[in-house]
Amino acid sequence: MAANWSTDTGPAVYRSRDPLKHLKIRVWIQRITPSTVFSHKVERTATQPEQSSTEMATFKSASEFEASGGFRPDDQEEVVVGWQEKLFSQFEIDLFRSQAACQSPLDLQYHNEILGLESTGYRKNQRIFTYTDFDRYTNTEEHSQSVTTSSREEPLYLVERMAQVRRRRHDRRTTEGSIPKSRIITWEPSKDFMRNSHVLNTPMQTMYIMGDLGPYGKLGHREHEYVLCTIKVDNNGVIIVKPDFSGSKVPYSLETEGEKRDLWLYTINDVSVTAAREEQEKEQNLYKDLYSRHKEYLTTLVGIEFETVSMLLNISAQDYDYDNLYVHFFLELPTKWWNPNNQQLSGVTQTCSTKVEGQASVAYFSYPFSFEVGYRNDDQPEDWLPHWPVLYFEVLSLDFWQRYRTEGYGYVNIPISPGCHTLTCQTWRPVQPGTSELRRFFIGGSPELEDMTYVRVPSTFKGERLSRFGFRTQTTGSVTFKLNCIQQSRDFVSLSTMRERRQNILERLGSSTQQTSVQAVLEAFQKAQRRMQAARENLPKDLISTSVSTVF
């Protein structure tokens, strides 16, 4: 007979995205009596091939007769339970029938519900009942759980700490806008702090399906309550069921304690209603409509008339005269460029010591800096060539005696294509004749630029030609930038739109060097054309007519 029920009561883990209010579980229990044992024996004998059909019919009819009259009505029960549905036990009905026993608002609510059940005279359960996530039993059960099956178990310190943790979602609620009273980060934790904080606290909701397996007519005693099924759910939709759903397997068995030691069989099955195909399609269409509306909402917030560039950079420097380097940098935005988030487009790295790699002294700053800029081209013709943002930087050093020195200036053009780019820029510093180098060596300090954009074209320059005659410089080390660029444009939405446009935004946005070369070629061509026209006008008319007649 031991093969007719299961002894594997291990937990099973499921994951679901559906609301838990749709979860329905059917629980069936039955006391094993001599008549039920005989019924199982007859059914097993009837399936043997050597028995005749007459013998099977005789035994089956006899077993049905004895099984129908062999146990009392309360020896078998079947109930469908919903998630966190409260089914009262006989003990709770006797306890909360009196209002004097109510100690909390939840007890008073149970009192009113029990009075309502007694007034209607309907109760769908007798032996099967539930403890929800809010009942006292849930706290007591989790606090008294043991780790091993030994009767001499002594709980460890971590087990005691874990037993005091209330793993409940409603106890983990925080007031919106509240400030935590304790520090979020403890920079110097002590050993006691680390030992007390080594506790796992995953918010979960728990529900127990219980059974009152007492003798006939003696229901309502706590010593006869047994756990049939435990269901735990966390915030991620993970459902832990112990034991697992029976399905097509044999029932589980449970033996009561005491002198009589009754044996019970029970099954647990998921009977949640599966949505019809029409409802599933309706739900999918609803989600699609919701996603499309959310997409339209985001589009209205962001807009479509924009060209944005997002960048993240990392810096390293090498081959400078002094140690303890740091870099000061800022981004210059040309005309028609704007900063959508009002970010600070400048920064200063931390002071970094150099280390020797080969024959070079390299300082790795590992200083990430990100920014986002946008470009508008609605008022410009398609053949207009805009300028691209430029990153200016200055390398400085600070020694032990707090002496500052300028190590070099430089600039890099932001790449016009997205992706990861590594750019190395050679730097220089201004030099003055006389004692400037002696002052730099002994007391620090060196000539500096009032406007850092002077390393390229000053922002205040309005002329046609910039002269740096007499300006002395000295070549110093180099700075390496690692740029990660992301570009977003409405031109990227449709490939056909990109083909129809005569010029793409990336084709028209180039570096200043490319723009200068194109403009120089156009100016040279125009000058040559004007010279040819002037030379043609200065020639004698007789020579022009003679050359024309000779050609004909």
Side-chain angles (χ1 to χ4, degrees):
M1 189 61 193
N4 290 333
W5 52 74
S6 175
T7 58
D8 183 13
T9 58
V13 181
Y14 299 90
R15 191 182 186 93
S16 176
R17 296 181 180 179
D18 294 336
L20 291 176
K21 63 181 181 180
H22 298 158
L23 179 62
K24 300 293 182 181
I25 298 177
R26 179 190 293 122
V27 183
W28 170 85
I29 60 173
Q30 179 181 355
R31 187 202 304 266
I32 297 298
T33 60
S35 60
T36 56
V37 173
F38 182 74
S39 174
H40 283 287
K41 183 177 180 180
V42 169
E43 291 179 0
R44 184 175 58 181
T45 306
T47 57
Q48 296 179 0
E50 62 271 9
Q51 299 292 337
S52 63
S53 59
T54 305
E55 293 175 341
M56 285 191 295
T58 305
F59 277 108
K60 187 173 183 181
S61 60
S63 63
E64 289 178 353
F65 173 76
E66 295 187 13
S68 61
F71 61 89
R72 291 178 291 270
D74 65 336
D75 287 345
Q76 181 177 352
E77 186 175 346
E78 184 179 27
V79 176
V80 177
V81 183
W83 172 248
Q84 296 297 341
E85 180 183 356
K86 180 61 179 176
L87 299 180
F88 296 100
S89 64
Q90 187 62 40
F91 176 82
E92 291 177 320
I93 292 177
D94 297 338
L95 176 64
F96 295 117
R97 182 180 288 112
S98 174
Q99 189 175 359
C102 300
Q103 301 178 0
S104 64
L106 182 62
D107 297 345
L108 186 60
Q109 178 183 349
Y110 287 168
H111 169 72
N112 297 330
E113 292 180 2
I114 290 173
L115 293 181
L117 291 176
E118 292 181 349
S119 62
T120 57
Y122 172 74
R123 182 184 173 192
K124 71 175 184 178
N125 67 305
Q126 295 294 330
R127 291 185 177 272
I128 300 175
F129 62 97
T130 61
Y131 284 127
T132 63
D133 191 64
F134 303 94
D135 291 331
R136 299 189 188 95
Y137 176 84
T138 309
N139 287 331
T140 307
E141 179 67 17
E142 290 189 353
H143 189 275
S144 60
Q145 284 183 352
S146 59
V147 180
T148 64
T149 57
S150 175
S151 59
R152 300 180 180 180
E153 176 186 349
E154 295 182 0
L156 301 177
Y157 178 80
L158 181 60
V159 177
E160 294 179 353
R161 296 291 298 176
M162 286 294 297
Q164 298 176 5
V165 175
R166 180 77 163 109
R167 301 178 66 181
R168 287 291 171 275
R169 182 158 51 193
H170 55 78
D171 280 353
R172 299 289 296 175
R173 293 174 183 171
T174 57
T175 305
E176 185 176 358
S178 61
I179 301 176
K181 297 181 180 179
S182 60
R183 291 178 297 177
I184 300 177
I185 300 176
T186 303
W187 298 105
E188 297 179 358
S190 60
K191 293 184 178 180
D192 294 338
F193 176 81
M194 291 187 291
R195 186 177 60 177
N196 295 333
S197 301
H198 187 62
V199 176
L200 177 64
N201 187 9
T202 304
M204 300 187 72
Q205 283 186 312
T206 308
M207 178 180 178
Y208 293 93
I209 301 178
M210 310 290 294
D212 189 349
L213 308 183
Y216 178 75
K218 295 183 180 180
L219 301 181
H221 296 276
R222 279 293 181 90
E223 60 270 13
H224 297 152
E225 295 181 359
Y226 294 88
V227 179
L228 302 180
C229 179
T230 304
I231 306 172
K232 296 183 179 181
V233 180
D234 64 2
N235 296 332
N236 300 322
V238 178
I239 304 174
I240 303 176
V241 182
K242 181 182 180 181
D244 191 10
F245 296 121
S246 302
S248 58
K249 299 183 295 184
V250 294
Y252 296 105
S253 64
L254 194 152
E255 185 177 358
T256 61
E257 299 178 357
E259 298 180 357
K260 196 172 182 180
R261 303 184 69 86
D262 293 333
L263 184 64
W264 292 77
L265 298 182
Y266 67 97
T267 59
I268 303 170
N269 292 298
D270 180 18
V271 292
S272 303
V273 179
T274 305
R277 185 174 181 179
E278 297 179 356
E279 295 181 356
Q280 293 180 358
E281 293 179 355
K282 184 178 179 181
E283 183 179 3
Q284 292 178 359
N285 295 332
L286 181 62
Y287 278 121
K288 290 181 181 179
D289 187 25
L290 179 62
Y291 293 151
S292 61
R293 290 177 180 270
H294 184 65
K295 182 180 179 181
E296 293 176 358
Y297 171 71
L298 295 179
T299 303
T300 56
L301 293 179
V302 178
I304 59 175
E305 298 293 335
F306 64 92
E307 319 287 345
T308 61
V309 180
S310 301
M311 302 179 192
L312 177 67
L313 59 89
N314 199 351
I315 311 173
S316 63
Q318 64 179 8
D319 295 333
Y320 285 97
D321 296 337
Y322 292 91
D323 200 354
N324 298 326
L325 304 175
Y326 66 96
V327 179
H328 174 217
F329 58 91
F330 74 93
L331 184 72
E332 183 188 36
L333 298 182
T335 308
K336 298 297 180 180
W337 288 84
W338 56 289
N339 185 6
N341 299 326
N342 294 326
Q343 293 177 313
Q344 185 178 0
L345 301 181
S346 62
V348 180
T349 66
Q350 75 279 7
T351 303
C352 181
S353 301
T354 60
K355 69 174 183 178
V356 179
E357 291 187 355
Q359 297 181 354
S361 299
V362 186
Y364 293 99
F365 296 97
S366 298
Y367 182 83
F369 178 76
S370 61
F371 56 88
E372 181 179 352
V373 294
Y375 170 74
R376 295 184 181 275
N377 61 340
D378 47 358
D379 298 335
Q380 300 295 336
E382 294 184 355
D383 56 351
W384 184 71
L385 297 176
H387 295 276
W388 198 257
V390 180
L391 183 66
Y392 296 92
F393 64 91
E394 175 187 10
V395 183
L396 302 100
S397 63
L398 175 65
D399 61 6
F400 177 77
W401 302 102
Q402 300 297 316
R403 292 179 295 188
Y404 293 87
R405 298 179 178 89
T406 301
E407 299 296 335
Y409 292 93
Y411 75 94
V412 292
N413 292 307
I414 301 301
I416 63 174
S417 60
C420 182
H421 304 272
T422 302
L423 305 178
T424 301
C425 178
Q426 298 292 332
T427 60
W428 52 265
R429 60 181 178 88
V431 177
Q432 289 181 347
T435 60
S436 62
E437 293 300 312
L438 293 176
R439 184 181 63 180
R440 170 184 169 85
F441 179 80
F442 286 104
I443 63 176
S446 57
E448 299 180 0
L449 298 178
E450 294 183 358
D451 186 4
M452 199 182 299
T453 60
Y454 189 76
V455 299
R456 186 172 173 262
V457 178
S459 58
T460 57
F461 180 72
K462 302 298 182 182
E464 296 181 356
R465 293 177 178 84
L466 176 63
S467 176
R468 290 190 175 91
F469 181 76
F471 183 70
R472 297 184 179 183
T473 60
Q474 180 178 345
T475 303
T476 55
S478 61
V479 178
T480 301
F481 295 89
K482 292 184 178 180
L483 303 176
N484 296 280
C485 304
I486 301 175
Q487 295 181 356
Q488 183 179 7
S489 173
R490 58 179 177 176
D491 293 340
F492 303 154
V493 176
S494 175
L495 184 60
S496 60
T497 305
M498 296 174 61
R499 292 176 179 176
E500 292 176 359
R501 294 174 64 98
R502 190 178 67 177
Q503 284 184 328
N504 189 274
I505 186 66
L506 295 180
E507 297 175 356
R508 292 186 285 107
L509 293 177
S511 62
S512 60
T513 305
Q514 296 174 347
Q515 298 171 15
T516 304
S517 61
V518 172
Q519 293 177 359
V521 172
L522 293 177
E523 291 178 358
F525 177 75
Q526 292 176 359
K527 289 181 180 180
Q529 188 177 11
R530 288 195 297 268
R531 289 177 182 176
M532 291 178 61
Q533 186 176 0
R536 186 180 181 84
E537 292 177 354
N538 294 331
L539 289 176
K541 296 182 179 180
D542 298 338
L543 182 59
I544 296 176
S545 60
T546 304
S547 60
V548 173
S549 61
T550 304
V551 173
F552 284 104

